[in-house]
Each structure stands twice: as structure tokens, then as C-alpha cells.
Amino acid sequence: MARSVVSEIKRDHIHRLIADGRRVDGRAWDQYREIMVQTNVVETAEGSARVKIGNTEVIVGLKMTVGEPFPDTPNRGVLSTNAELIPMASPSFESGPPDENSIELARVVDRGIRESQMIDLERLCVEPGKKVWINFLDIYVLDFDGNLFDACNLGAVAAIKSATVPAKANGLGEDFPMPVTCTPVAVTSVQIENSILVDPTLDEEKVAAARLTVTTDDNGDLRAMQKGLSGALTLEQVRTAIDTSRRLGAEIRKLIG
Amino acid sequence: MGGNSDMKLIDENGIRIDGRKVDELRPIRIEAGVLKSADGSAYVEIGKNKVLAAVYGPRECHPRHMQNPAKAIVQCKYNMISFSVSDRKRPGPDRRSVEISKLISEAMEYVVFTENFPRTSIDVYIEVLQANAGTRCAGLTAASVALADAGIPMKDVVPAVAVGKVNDQVVLDLNKEEDNFGQADLPIAIIPRTGEVLLMQMDGHMTQAEFDRGLEMGVRACSEIYRLQKDALRRRYAVVSGEGEEETKGLVHAMTEEA
């Protein structure tokens, strides 16, 4: 995200540590930062979560209304994912309509949820072809210190899992919990100096050559991937990133299980 | 203001639907220094309102033509996040938030010693996470704590509160039902040190006597909020100096537990 300038002294410092097998904050290469998840933080949303990964913080809310399905999926609910990189979160974020960074972010999060079929959209059909539940998943970044993909995925998944479908308020019988089938977890690694580091901080992201986000499901199968930044990865590095994602994904899944 | 006085919002004993007396504030929680990237920040809960404020600056002023060679400009942006209200709000500014942003910017520009930072911009971002009437007051209350947390010299920290009229009675700190079905809404912000009024709006219908009573109630409530603002700043710097560490740990713990 926001490839703003990084001072040469910092770049050298990060590179030198990595050559020495170390990281700025003392973590191992396959070690995640501390994660905090708090759900149902906003009463006005049907589901919500506030997530911290180290100093990165996001808040996610799910709003649900009844509306028309898409013509090609008449018996399925609709999911619409949006990410806002608000200027509160970083000196490099500006207000205005979503830019390419926030669109990529929202689409990668959306893909993980959609492709894993986390939400059972067929159970969100009220009347085929006429009435289905429309899900607005809105992600706001509050504090940016790297690895937004994972933070936003985690927040989105936690918000969905905590959601209650507001059937009563819409005259459609009793409220019921969001129909959820699995817990997709995204884990992002970056390549710096030919090493693969998981969960990059902002400084690490700024000096990284390439980035790979891997979203896995409950079985450890792959559901979505996104390679980013302008560098390239070797096949070996891709394998390392996937292994790390499957292993850490299982750990993280327990947190929001 | 719906002005619908048929709706019973205060009972025979003078108790409101949320159990408060007419001159009682909702529970308030204020924390300073809650975000890492921002130069200063604050989190405020007033009843069911949840508001975050972040300050960046003084920094280079964008767009350039807004620069003032003699002083800093203060640019506040008030925004409600899409899921902060019952019907999803489309992200981005609307006419209401543009007006509120302008009022809060003008208010804060008066208390900040802008002449100390010529050509710069002090940017304040207010995000309403959950709304339940009185968000502009909660936003302004948070913004001034965030400015103080950013170390920006100010004449004073500014508290704000709304008073109003419900079932022909003057009440303090309207909740959502009272705001929707009450007869008047009067948000105010004052500078406690001087007693000056920094923000004042009104809509609805009040007699002169009701206004006087409301204002007096509001000013009294502001001094209570002011105390909580200063408390939050003291706690914040107690943490830096190592005194308040226990408390912070407790909070982190609580957050993890609820998960």
C-alpha cells in the first residue's frame, strides 16, 4: 500500500538485520504479531468487529437489507465488500473516492469470503428472483502499520460470524444467526532480500520486493491468492508462503473459531 | 425535531426513557492516545455514541492555495461510518457532515494558537463509529482531546454537549428518541477558562426562559465533561511516565476477553 518514501538508513537497517536472520521488532520470519479481536462493537450494525494486528487496526461492520437478487443468481443473497482507507489511519491516506489500493484490498477480502463460500448465500434467499438479503460489508482502516490484507480479512470474517440476520425488523419472521459454513483466513508474506517474512509491518512492506496473500479454509485448502508489488517470487518462495499461511491460518482460525 | 409531543419521553417522576433525570448526562468514557499512526488521538463514548478523533500536524498544507502565511489552518473532517446508523449510510461526505466539519473547524481554529505554525495545516479527522444523537458534540469533545494529545498549544480543551426540549421540559444531553421526537435541540461548546461560547446551533422551538435554563444546564454539564477530558489526558501521560501502566494492561485484557 502507499509506497511512500522510506529513508535509506531505515532500508539499510532492515536489509542488514534480515541478512543476519533478524527483524526490526525481534520476530522470527514466520512469527505473527499479537492479534486482538473484539466482536459486536457497533450496535447499529448487524455484525461488527474491531481487529488489531500489532499496531494495525481496522473496524468492520455488516449491514443487511432486503433487496432484489442479481438476475443470474436469483436464489442467492448478495455480498458487497467495500474498504475505506480513511486519512485518520495514516499520513499517506487521503479522503476521496476509493483508490486502486482500497479497491484491491476490498476485492481480495471479498474473494476469500466468496470463494470459500463462507456465507451460505442460498440460505439468504427470501423469495427466489424477487427478494434476497443484501450484505454490505464495510471495512474502515483506523490505524495503518502494515498488512492490511490480513487485518481486513480477519475483521470481515469476525464481523460476519458475529452477525444476526434482522428478519424480525423486516417482517420476515424470527431473527437468525448468519449462515456460515467455514472460516477463511488470509495470511500475507513479503519477500525482502530473498527471505520470506510473514505479517509485514509498514516499514517492512515499504522495502519489500514482492507480497503474497494466501487465503485458506478450514481444511487448509487454498481459496484465494494475490501476489502484489513489483518484484517476483521463486516457486520455492511461493511454497514457503503457502506453507506458512496454512500453518498460521489454522492458529488464527482458533482465535475467531 | 419531529415536534411530536404526544410521544411520552418523560414520566410523572421526571425520569426519561433511558432512566436519567432531566439534568443528567449519559455515561461518558474518554481515552487519549488510542492510535499509533496519528500525532494525537482520542476515543469518546457518550451513552451509545462511539467516536474516534485523530490529529495530524502541523504539517504541509494541501491544497497549497489554502496556506496562510501568518498562521496555521485547522481542517476538521467529521464523518459517519456506513454502519454507524440504522440504515446504511453511503460512504463519503454529505451536506450534513460538510456543515458540521466547517463548524468544528472554525471552533477549533479559535482555540489553537495557529499563529505559532504559519503556512501549515492541522488536520483533525472525526469518525463516528456508532451514532445515537449528539455526535457533533461527542466529535468536538474528542477532537479537542486529540489536539491536546498531539501536543498542539491551545487556549483550552473544549467540551461540548447538547441540551433540548422534550415534552415541554428542558433536558440535558438528548438521546436518539428525544432528538427524533423532541421539540428542540441546542448543541453548545464552551471554553471553560473564559466561559465563551465556541459552538452554538439550535433547531426547534424554545422560549427565552427555556433557552436560559438550557444554556445554564449545558454550561454546567460542560464543566463535568471538561473534568473527564483532563482526566483522560492525565491518565495518558501517566502511562508514558510509567505510573498508569496497570490500567492500560487491564484495558487490553478486557478487549481480548470479550472476543
Side-chain angles (χ1 to χ4, degrees), chain A residues 34-48 50 52 55 57 59-63 65 80 82 84 86-95 136-140 142-145 255, chain B residues 34-38 42-43 48 50 52-56 59 62 77 79-93 125-127 129-131 176 251-259:
Chain A
E34 193 188 349
I35 298 173
M36 277 197 289
V37 181
Q38 197 185 9
T39 51
N40 291 316
V41 290
V42 175
E43 287 175 33
T44 43
E46 271 68 68
S48 60
R50 206 161 157 174
K52 281 189 91 167
N55 288 321
E57 184 171 357
I59 187 167
V60 183
L62 179 71
K63 292 290 293 178
T65 57
S80 158
N82 175 251
E84 297 281 323
I86 52 176
M88 166 177 280
S90 161
S92 62
F93 292 170
E94 285 169 16
S95 41
F136 285 106
L137 188 61
D138 286 303
I139 302 167
Y140 285 80
L142 300 178
D143 208 348
F144 176 38
D145 189 24
L255 285 178
Chain B
V34 292
L35 300 173
K36 188 79 192 310
S37 306
Y43 176 70
K48 287 186 175 180
K50 296 179 178 179
L52 259 179
V55 171
Y56 284 90
R59 64 180 176 183
H62 284 295
K77 291 257 163 62
N79 182 49
M80 295 178 101
I81 64 175
S82 60
F83 47 89
S84 64
V85 280
S86 44
D87 289 331
R88 177 177 184 264
K89 183 197 162 294
R90 265 182 66 127
Y125 302 104
I126 299 165
E127 297 288 338
L129 308 181
Q130 181 174 301
K176 192 172 170 219
L251 188 74
V252 170
H253 190 63
M255 214 171 142
T256 335
E257 261 184 4
E258 273 175 57

Side-chain angles (χ1 to χ4, degrees), chain A residues 51-145:
Chain A
V51 164
K52 281 189 91 167
I53 298 180
N55 288 321
T56 290
E57 184 171 357
V58 304
I59 187 167
V60 183
L62 179 71
K63 292 290 293 178
M64 299 181 75
T65 57
V66 176
E68 260 185 53
F70 287 116
D72 55 340
T73 53
N75 60 343
R76 293 167 70 86
V78 173
L79 172 66
S80 158
T81 308
N82 175 251
E84 297 281 323
L85 303 180
I86 52 176
M88 166 177 280
S90 161
S92 62
F93 292 170
E94 285 169 16
S95 41
D99 65 358
E100 55 182 27
N101 291 317
S102 74
I103 289 171
E104 184 193 17
L105 181 59
R107 288 180 60 86
V108 171
V109 172
D110 185 276
R111 223 173 287 151
I113 292 164
R114 199 177 291 279
E115 299 306 323
S116 66
Q117 289 160 24
M118 177 194 181
I119 304 177
D120 188 348
L121 289 173
E122 280 179 20
R123 283 191 54 202
L124 293 182
C125 174
V126 181
E127 200 187 334
K130 297 223 172 74
K131 261 190 191 172
V132 297
W133 287 102
I134 314 278
N135 301 281
F136 285 106
L137 188 61
D138 286 303
I139 302 167
Y140 285 80
V141 178
L142 300 178
D143 208 348
F144 176 38
D145 189 24

Side-chain angles (χ1 to χ4, degrees), chain B residues 69-133:
Chain B
K71 61 191 186 84
I73 61 167
V74 179
Q75 305 191 79
C76 296
K77 291 257 163 62
Y78 164 99
N79 182 49
M80 295 178 101
I81 64 175
S82 60
F83 47 89
S84 64
V85 280
S86 44
D87 289 331
R88 177 177 184 264
K89 183 197 162 294
R90 265 182 66 127
D94 53 18
R95 295 174 67 84
R96 173 180 172 275
S97 63
V98 169
E99 182 200 346
I100 294 175
S101 299
K102 178 172 184 285
L103 287 181
I104 298 181
S105 300
E106 288 165 351
M108 297 321 294
E109 198 154 288
Y110 181 75
V111 283
V112 169
F113 287 104
T114 52
E115 60 278 12
N116 290 7
F117 311 103
R119 290 183 197 282
T120 64
S121 170
I122 296 168
D123 300 322
V124 186
Y125 302 104
I126 299 165
E127 297 288 338
V128 179
L129 308 181
Q130 181 174 301
N132 191 277

